[in-house]
């Protein structure tokens, strides 16, 4: 039974927690006859059976609400009549979304009256908090979806992107886009199109599986409003699609109807360039993929990518001359042969001394006089020039003079290694009669002038290499002024 404790000027308007106790409190029964069974609905509460009451709450008008044996019962404050307002008495879970009297609970224990007039129940064995309300409950909604538009004020003719932002998404997600209630677009969180008009309404219906079962939620509707500016366009051009090795290509990004433009170039998906509208580079690959991402402000602000263009370098043949080097005595005729790994449209030889067959792959020198290079030059059908160089060294025997007269008359003033001698010099040194070094050089073009030296006989020592072999020349020279 439900009993009532009171003292003078004490009344209950909500769930009671007694925080003050004194000897002037009195007790009485307000509901229940002591019968251990459910009976008495429609009659006086004092005559009814209220078995195992586990929760009680009082509304502002004094009506009493009692949780008892899988049901909620109400005692009218004016008439004292008790009625069941929720629960069938069965210990199960049914009835959500329908009339409370037809629903079932399992061991309701706590009750509370909300400020909004709803009545809340702790349905303990069903592991739920349930609510009694005077309005028809809507199915539970866990997910939320909101649609945004980018850009917010698009240019006419430009692409508009809509994005569905979902909170608390379940599994098995699907997206259905609508324009003016007509289904469009992909099953995706984003929908991009240029086929919308001023005033069109765009929304997204999002579906997923939640713990409560399949759920479908509808987003807000976004109205399309175009700006008054024409949509910007971007283009890309290049000075050439392919160039010869070592040459450069310049690409230019052009923008129409755009403002506050910035540029980011990409080659083979890697960022390149200096942020300007042009990008110049020397290709090393036969094919590169180049584009420019243009960032704009205004009604179609954002990033617009140019088309991707293919640029690169022509593949050219490699040419080589046989032999690469020839060391011969004066008057020798040298046979030359050029080889190419691919086709050449034209070719020729370049030499300081006469050649025979200078427009063929095989050339012959005239009897050589001096050391000099010979160059083979070829040109491909694409206009690329390839070349190779060989060197002819005319060998002159190392014959050093045995005397010199450094009197500054222009004749025989310097003692030096003869020109055109094929020799890698390590050191050219001069010693006096007492073994003192009076001159030294590693430069084969320099010689001894005899400065500050007296007349007499001196020893020279030349060290170095000929054809990779260490060689030493030694002898004497007379200085006479």
């Amino acid at each position: 039974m439900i009993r009532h404790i009171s003292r003078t000027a004490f009344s209950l308007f909500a769930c009671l927690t007694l925080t003050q106790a004194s000897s002037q409190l009195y007790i009485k029964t307000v509901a229940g006859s002591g019968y251990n069974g459910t009976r008495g609905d429609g009659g006086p509460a004092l005559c009814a059976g209220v078995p195992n009451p586990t929760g009680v709450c009082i509304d502002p008008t004094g009506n009493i609400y009692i949780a008892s044996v899988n049901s909620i019962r109400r005692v009218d404050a004016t008439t004292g009549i008790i009625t069941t307002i929720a629960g069938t008495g069965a210990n199960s879970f049914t009835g959500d979304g329908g009339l409370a009297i037809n629903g079932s609970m399992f061991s309701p224990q706590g009750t509370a009256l909300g400020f909004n007039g709803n009545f809340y129940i702790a349905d303990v064995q069903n592991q739920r908090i349930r609510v009694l309300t005077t309005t028809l409950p809507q199915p539970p909604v866990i997910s939320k979806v909101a649609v945004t538009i980018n850009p917010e004020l698009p240019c006419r003719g430009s692409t508009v992107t809509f994005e569905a932002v979902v909170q608390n998404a379940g599994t098995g997600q699907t997206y259905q886009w609508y324009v003016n209630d007509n289904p469009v677009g992909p099953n995706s969180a984003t929908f991009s199109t240029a086929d919308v008009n001023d005033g069109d309404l765009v929304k997204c219906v999002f579906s997923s599986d939640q713990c409560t079962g399949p759920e479908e939620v509808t987003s807000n509707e976004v109205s399309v409003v175009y700006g008054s500016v024409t949509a910007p366009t971007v283009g890309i051009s290049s000075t050439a699609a392919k160039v010869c090795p070592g040459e450069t290509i310049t690409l230019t990004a052009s923008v129409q109807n755009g403002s506050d433009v910035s540029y980011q170039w990409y080659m083979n998906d890697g960022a390149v360039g200096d942020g300007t509208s042009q990008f110049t580079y020397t290709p090393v690959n036969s094919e590169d993929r180049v584009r420019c991402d243009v960032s704009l402000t205004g009604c179609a602000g954002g990033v617009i990518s140019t088309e991707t263009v293919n640029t690169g370098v022509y593949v050219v043949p490699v040419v080589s001359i046989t032999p690469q080097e020839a060391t011969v005595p004066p008057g020798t005729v040298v046979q030359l042969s050029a080889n190419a790994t691919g086709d050449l449209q034209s070719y020729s030889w370049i030499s300081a001394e006469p050649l025979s067959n200078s427009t063929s792959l095989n050339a012959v020198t005239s009897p050589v006089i001096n050391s000099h290079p010979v160059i083979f030059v070829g040109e491909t059908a694409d206009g690329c020039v390839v070349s190779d160089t060989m060197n002819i060294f005319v060998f002159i025997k190392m014959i050093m003079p045995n005397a010199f007269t450094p009197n500054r008359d222009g004749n025989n003033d310097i003692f030096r290694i003869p020109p055109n001698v094929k020799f890698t010099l390590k050191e050219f040194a001069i010693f006096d009669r007492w073994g003192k070094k009076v001159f030294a050089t590693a430069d084969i073009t320099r010689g001894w002038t005899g400065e500050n030296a007296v007349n007499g006989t001196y020893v020279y020592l030349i060290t170095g290499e000929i054809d990779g072999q260490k060689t030493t020349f030694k002898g004497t020279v007379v200085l006479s002024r």
Side-chain angles (χ1 to χ4, degrees), residues 316-380:
V316 298
V318 176
V319 297
S320 60
I321 301 174
T322 303
Q324 280 288 291
E325 184 178 294
T327 302
V328 296
T332 303
V333 173
V334 180
Q335 302 282 336
L336 303 174
S337 177
N339 301 288
T341 59
D343 294 334
L344 296 174
Q345 190 173 51
S346 62
Y347 40 82
S348 61
W349 296 84
I350 300 174
S351 174
E353 296 186 7
L355 291 172
S356 300
N357 304 324
S358 61
T359 58
S360 71
L361 292 175
N362 300 295
V364 180
T365 70
S366 61
V368 296
I369 300 173
N370 298 307
S371 298
H372 65 279
V374 179
I375 304 170
F376 176 81
V377 179
E379 184 173 338
T380 68

Side-chain angles (χ1 to χ4, degrees), residues 430-472:
I430 307 292
F431 300 86
D432 64 15
R433 60 187 296 182
W434 292 280
K436 179 182 178 182
K437 186 185 291 185
V438 296
F439 172 79
T441 183
D443 183 353
I444 199 169
T445 64
R446 289 187 59 201
W448 182 40
T449 62
E451 185 176 355
N452 299 324
V454 299
N455 290 346
T457 301
Y458 293 82
V459 175
Y460 66 84
L461 179 65
I462 301 171
T463 58
E465 293 183 357
I466 295 178
D467 294 330
Q469 301 295 319
K470 291 183 179 181
T471 305
T472 300

Side-chain angles (χ1 to χ4, degrees), residues 65-84:
Y65 299 84
I66 306 163
S68 170
V69 189
N70 303 325
S71 63
I72 304 297
R73 304 176 78 184
R74 177 180 177 272
V75 179
D76 188 276
T78 303
T79 64
I81 300 298
I82 188 169
T83 55
T84 298

Side-chain angles (χ1 to χ4, degrees), residues 73-127:
R73 304 176 78 184
R74 177 180 177 272
V75 179
D76 188 276
T78 303
T79 64
I81 300 298
I82 188 169
T83 55
T84 298
I85 62 172
T88 63
N91 56 351
S92 61
F93 172 74
T94 61
D96 263 14
L99 293 174
I101 194 67
N102 298 326
S104 60
M105 293 172 277
F106 193 174
S107 187
Q109 294 185 16
T111 59
L113 187 68
F115 293 112
N116 56 3
N118 293 338
F119 189 77
Y120 294 88
I121 306 161
D123 192 353
V124 175
Q125 293 300 320
N126 282 323
Q127 315 294 329

Side-chain angles (χ1 to χ4, degrees), residues 95-156:
D96 263 14
L99 293 174
I101 194 67
N102 298 326
S104 60
M105 293 172 277
F106 193 174
S107 187
Q109 294 185 16
T111 59
L113 187 68
F115 293 112
N116 56 3
N118 293 338
F119 189 77
Y120 294 88
I121 306 161
D123 192 353
V124 175
Q125 293 300 320
N126 282 323
Q127 315 294 329
R128 287 174 167 85
I129 303 298
R130 305 177 78 179
V131 63
L132 305 183
T133 177
T134 57
T135 59
L136 182 65
Q138 297 299 312
V141 176
I142 297 177
S143 299
K144 293 182 179 179
V145 59
V147 168
T148 60
I149 180 173
N150 184 38
E152 293 184 0
L153 193 67
C155 299
R156 294 187 184 278

Side-chain angles (χ1 to χ4, degrees), residues 207-294:
S207 302
S208 67
D209 295 324
Q210 297 284 3
C211 61
T212 55
E215 181 181 82
E216 183 177 278
V217 290
T218 301
S219 75
N220 56 305
E221 286 189 322
V222 174
S223 178
V224 178
V225 179
Y226 280 111
S228 59
V229 180
T230 304
T233 58
V234 298
I236 186 172
S237 61
S238 64
T239 54
K242 286 185 180 292
V243 293
C244 297
E247 296 178 346
T248 61
I249 294 177
T250 297
L251 298 103
T252 303
S254 58
V255 180
Q256 293 182 341
N257 307 318
S259 60
D260 295 330
V261 182
S262 61
Y263 304 86
Q264 178 58 66
W265 290 91
Y266 291 89
M267 182 169 67
N268 302 326
D269 297 325
V272 293
D274 58 2
T276 64
S277 62
Q278 286 192 331
F279 168 55
T280 299
Y281 83 111
T282 303
V284 295
N285 300 317
S286 61
E287 184 171 285
D288 294 312
R289 295 174 289 104
V290 183
R291 77 173 196 276
C292 185
D293 284 359
V294 181

